[in-house]
Amino acid sequence: MPHVTRPSSDPRRGRPVTGPAPAGRDHFVTAGDLRFHYREWGRPEWPPVALLHGVVGNSWEWITVARRLAAHRYRVLAFDQRGHGASEWAAEYSAAAMSADIPSLLDAVRVPRTVLVGHSLGGIHAFHAAAAFPDRVSALVLVDVAPGPVSDPAAMAGVVSWIRGLGAAEYPGPAAAFAQWKAMNPRARDAELREYIDHNLRRLPSGRWKWRFDAAGLASYLSRPDAPGMWAALRAVACPALLIRGAESELISPGAAREAVDALPDGRLAEIPRGGHDLTVEQPEAVADRILAFLRTV
């Protein structure tokens, strides 16, 4: 059935809210047998938008995107996925398990249906959830992710090695971790990167610092890419979908992005000039503006 665009029942939706930028609120909730952390912006009665970070990420990296969406009257929910941020580690990491967390989390926060936005690994879980639970996802946004590159074993071997290296690393303080990350991605803006770093480290009894994510579990998961499963899920997405690509992404080529959009039954493509892969900390306003423009059409 072709998608039919309907006008919003709230004529104010999408209009900016005057006043200071909305402040985020921290919450914890139990979904399944795990305790999850999430951050929330906006009012409960506004249309929901759920955000999923990428591998080794956390909800704080969305702060500028979330504020901009909330300023346009969206209720924004940014979740720390299992094994990340302040959420609990788990015995299982897989696309099936992590996409199944999404409807459980929506139940816990009493959201029947949402726009779902996922960056990188979060995008993989987002399109799996949109395919498996179509009644829970009204529209889908994928930020610099496509099945081709992330299902290639050779490409993923480098990612797995990088995650294991981070898992073994210790730092004298957050400033050293910031310097390492900034060297890896000079495009990352300092303010957004500091939010990500400051909420992604834990202090050891020795006084040194380590990353909070479950590096061993996530590395094991990503060492087993499932290309057929990814493509099948992408083709099964029934809702309108947008893929946002960084024009200078080191992960997603123009051809890989087009291949993914062509696989989506109702897919569109937008690019962000001079953007790399970590768009949420490189050009968050541009990400939010692409999302807002897309939501005006669905």
Side-chain angles (χ1 to χ4, degrees):
M1 179 181 294
H3 173 70
V4 178
T5 300
R6 296 179 176 85
S8 168
S9 59
D10 182 357
R12 299 172 303 166
R13 193 185 96 171
R15 293 185 188 175
V17 177
T18 57
R25 304 176 296 281
D26 288 277
H27 305 284
F28 287 88
V29 69
T30 298
D33 59 354
L34 295 175
R35 187 170 184 254
F36 289 86
H37 167 258
Y38 71 98
R39 307 203 76 228
E40 180 177 9
W41 293 259
R43 298 180 183 174
E45 67 270 20
W46 290 350
V49 178
L51 308 176
L52 301 176
H53 58 76
V55 70
V56 309
N58 62 48
S59 55
W60 284 84
E61 68 189 61
W62 290 103
I63 187 167
T64 304
V65 173
R67 285 174 174 167
R68 201 168 182 92
L69 296 177
H72 286 76
R73 292 187 168 88
Y74 287 97
R75 178 190 181 191
V76 183
L77 303 155
F79 296 102
D80 285 348
Q81 299 188 81
R82 62 169 66 193
H84 292 83
S87 292
E88 283 188 317
W89 291 12
E92 179 186 358
Y93 298 97
S94 66
M98 296 178 81
S99 60
D101 286 339
I102 296 166
S104 295
L105 286 165
L106 295 178
D107 288 343
V109 298
R110 300 182 180 180
V111 170
R113 189 170 168 85
T114 188
V115 174
L116 187 57
V117 181
H119 170 242
S120 196
L121 184 66
I124 294 171
H125 302 151
F127 69 67
H128 274 86
F133 311 102
D135 57 324
R136 308 305 299 270
V137 182
S138 58
L140 176 69
V141 180
L142 306 175
V143 182
D144 213 67
V145 64
V150 297
S151 63
D152 177 68
M156 293 311 295
V159 175
V160 167
S161 177
W162 170 68
I163 293 171
R164 287 179 173 148
L166 291 176
E170 294 185 8
Y171 305 92
F178 175 89
Q180 180 193 44
W181 209 274
K182 186 71 174 182
M184 288 190 294
N185 184 8
R187 292 190 185 93
R189 298 196 328 198
D190 287 1
E192 283 74 12
L193 187 56
R194 284 199 175 90
E195 294 282 9
Y196 165 77
I197 297 289
D198 289 348
H199 295 90
N200 212 17
L201 293 169
R202 57 188 173 90
R203 193 167 191 175
L204 301 173
S206 66
R208 293 178 69 80
W209 297 75
K210 281 184 71 71
W211 298 106
R212 299 179 73 168
F213 49 80
D214 185 355
L218 294 166
S220 177
Y221 163 32
L222 293 178
S223 68
R224 308 182 305 273
D226 176 16
M230 288 188 208
W231 284 112
L234 198 70
R235 294 187 181 101
V237 172
C239 64
L242 171 70
L243 193 157
I244 302 173
R245 175 183 175 269
E248 298 176 13
S249 173
E250 57 275 26
L251 182 66
I252 308 300
S253 68
R258 174 48 59 190
E259 184 182 24
V261 170
D262 288 346
L264 288 159
D266 186 4
R268 315 113 202 249
L269 177 64
E271 286 200 341
I272 294 180
R274 299 177 300 283
H277 176 63
D278 288 328
L279 289 166
T280 59
V281 296
E282 295 172 6
Q283 296 199 42
E285 291 89 356
V287 171
D289 289 347
R290 301 305 192 278
I291 295 171
L292 289 167
F294 169 62
L295 294 181
R296 286 192 287 269
T297 72
V298 300

